Structure formats: C-alpha cells, structure tokens
Amino acid sequence: MALNRLAARHGVEVRILAIAAEVAFDRRGVALEAQIEVPFPEIRLEVRLDTSASESQVSALQQAPGRHCPVATLLRSAGTRLLVSLRVNPD
C-alpha cells in the first residue's frame, strides 16, 4: 500500500500500519456454472494506523492511496468496488 511511502514523504511517523481485508468472491466462474465479468465484486479494507500525525495530515494521507496504488487502480478498472475504512490510533 502506498500509504506508508506517502507518510514518509510528508514526514509523518507511522508506528503501526495494519490492513484487514474482506473479499466478496463470485465462485460461479471457477465452478464453471456461469461466465462472470467481475469475480471479486467487492473488497473491504480496514486500515489501522497508529501515528502522531495531525488531523489534516491524516486527511491528506487518506485521499492519496487511491491515486497512487496500482493494485487499487487495477481492481477498480476491473469493476471491483473497493471500500476502505481508516481507523487512526485505535485502542
């Protein structure tokens, strides 16, 4: 994920960066039941970030990965809905 590199570029300390993914998979294609255009219709990512960054710095970081991550770009162009939630300094 580009978030770590973007944080470093902006001088933001990242103490912890953890990502959990939940993927919806339409298995009918691999089961030879139907031709599927989008085998992964939705991917949900929960990003946990522990940082000393200010709210404005976190906001800037939150917007940037979608523009710089080649995997996110590939998935979106294939029709996958990519939902990302960011939790900053979780307990």
Side-chain angles (χ1 to χ4, degrees), residues 45-84:
L45 298 176
E46 180 182 284
V47 180
R48 290 187 316 120
L49 177 64
D50 186 12
T51 182
S52 58
S54 68
E55 282 187 37
S56 63
Q57 288 172 315
V58 169
S59 180
L61 291 177
Q62 188 172 8
Q63 302 302 317
R67 294 188 303 261
H68 297 284
C69 180
V71 175
T73 301
L74 177 68
L75 289 168
R76 285 189 179 110
S77 67
T80 299
R81 218 172 124 208
L82 189 58
L83 306 170
V84 181

Side-chain angles (χ1 to χ4, degrees), residues 25-41:
F25 176 58
D26 188 341
R27 60 176 288 291
R28 294 177 296 160
V30 297
L32 305 177
E33 296 172 4
Q35 185 173 349
I36 303 302
E37 294 293 320
V38 183
F40 302 102

